[in-house]
Amino acid sequence: MEPAGVHVAQARRTTTTVLRQWSLPDAPAEDARLVVSELVTNAITHGSGDVRLRLRHDNHELRISVTDDSIVPATRRRAGADDHGGRGLHLVARVSLRWGVADGGRTTYAVIPTLTEALPCRRTTSPNSAPTC
């Protein structure tokens, strides 16, 4: 049996190829590769059976879904400072609009924005300060 890293690397390469075909900008493509790495690693490490990756792009969003045969849903956990793992879903949550589980726990998904326009300005301090863009 091949090491999990081989399968994760293949999933990233496949994702890169598909996103290039879709002409997705670099920033969301990088986020997508990170999410694919984390979700596929989780499915291989904690799931069971075959791992399936699905990418869908529409309405300025990219949905990444990873499915395995386990009915135990992916959950975020609190990793200690010395832990080697346990941070993947935190990373997924940071770069995604939303993430979750579906299909009775078998599928973990994340949605990444793909708009290339600048995000709207927002105030980061008091209401009287200039917005940060």
Side-chain angles (χ1 to χ4, degrees), residues 117-129:
E117 296 90 25
L119 293 174
C121 295
R122 60 187 166 150
R123 297 194 184 280
T124 56
T125 55
S126 69
N128 298 328
S129 67

Side-chain angles (χ1 to χ4, degrees), residues 70-117:
S70 174
I71 59 170
V72 179
T75 57
R76 287 169 64 171
R77 64 177 207 171
R78 202 175 288 260
D82 295 331
D83 289 346
H84 294 286
R87 294 172 186 83
L89 289 178
H90 290 284
L91 292 171
V92 169
R94 295 289 294 177
V95 301
S96 303
L97 288 172
R98 62 191 174 279
W99 77 275
V101 294
D103 303 325
R106 291 179 177 87
T107 298
T108 305
Y109 68 88
V111 177
I112 295 179
T114 59
L115 287 175
T116 57
E117 296 90 25

Side-chain angles (χ1 to χ4, degrees), residues 22 24 56-63 97-98 111-117:
W22 290 344
L24 206 67
R56 190 178 75 217
H57 182 237
D58 58 5
N59 296 329
H60 308 295
E61 294 180 348
L62 173 67
R63 183 180 175 105
L97 288 172
R98 62 191 174 279
V111 177
I112 295 179
T114 59
L115 287 175
T116 57
E117 296 90 25

